[in-house]
Amino acid sequence: MRQTLSFLLTLTLMVALALSIRAWVASLCVVRTAHPRQEMLRGDRVLVWKLAREFRQGDLVVFGNPSKSIGRIEAVPGDTITVDATQYLIPRPCLGSCTCHGCSIYLVVAADSLRHVLRGSDIIGRAYRIFPLRR
């Protein structure tokens, strides 16, 4: 009886730990649409590191809730972007429009070739390809 109780307690703790890691630290995602530059193909699996909060130009990120999209950071805070022949500076702070501390704005090019302007809090995490290993 004591061994059974110990086993059930251990199993419950392991499941709770696994669910906590998946919810707040890392999770797996499947790429639903191919990236235009053939970086990611449909069906590729990526590990999303949710603890990443600082992103650099060129980083692969997952964003959006509830339907997740994958894209590459094209411009970071402090960069100048051009839209219809008008130049805009991406501000370093997010101008107080969100409740997080140190939030930044990023320009992300998604697999659908659309450009998205995202707050740092809208990005779920940095993505790393884990399967298939093509390169």
Side-chain angles (χ1 to χ4, degrees):
M1 177 71 173
R2 180 166 258 179
Q3 286 181 331
T4 304
L5 188 58
S6 176
F7 172 75
L8 289 176
L9 181 62
T10 303
L11 182 64
T12 302
L13 289 174
M14 294 301 285
V15 169
L17 180 65
L19 291 176
S20 297
I21 289 172
R22 184 157 191 236
W24 292 295
V25 178
S27 65
L28 294 174
C29 289
V30 177
V31 176
R32 298 197 194 303
T33 57
H35 199 275
R37 290 185 245 165
Q38 297 299 318
E39 297 174 69
M40 297 294 232
L41 300 176
R42 186 174 187 203
D44 283 358
R45 284 163 179 71
V46 294
L47 175 71
V48 182
W49 185 250
K50 295 180 180 183
L51 297 179
R53 290 291 112 207
E54 297 284 327
F55 304 103
R56 296 184 305 262
Q57 190 172 9
D59 282 350
L60 198 60
V61 295
V62 173
F63 61 95
N65 246 346
S67 64
K68 297 178 178 92
S69 298
I70 193 165
R72 190 162 295 280
I73 301 276
E74 187 172 281
V76 297
D79 287 352
T80 302
I81 60 173
T82 304
V83 178
D84 296 330
T86 305
Q87 289 189 338
Y88 298 94
L89 176 67
I90 298 179
R92 292 195 187 275
C94 68
L95 307 173
S97 62
C98 69
T99 58
C100 63
H101 299 289
C103 186
S104 300
I105 296 175
Y106 298 92
L107 180 67
V108 177
V109 178
D112 54 11
S113 296
L114 293 176
R115 288 184 161 82
H116 302 270
V117 176
L118 301 172
R119 291 186 304 221
S121 59
D122 296 332
I123 297 174
I124 296 169
R126 188 174 292 127
Y128 301 95
R129 178 189 305 190
I130 58 170
F131 180 80
L133 302 172
R134 281 192 253 292
R135 295 179 198 171

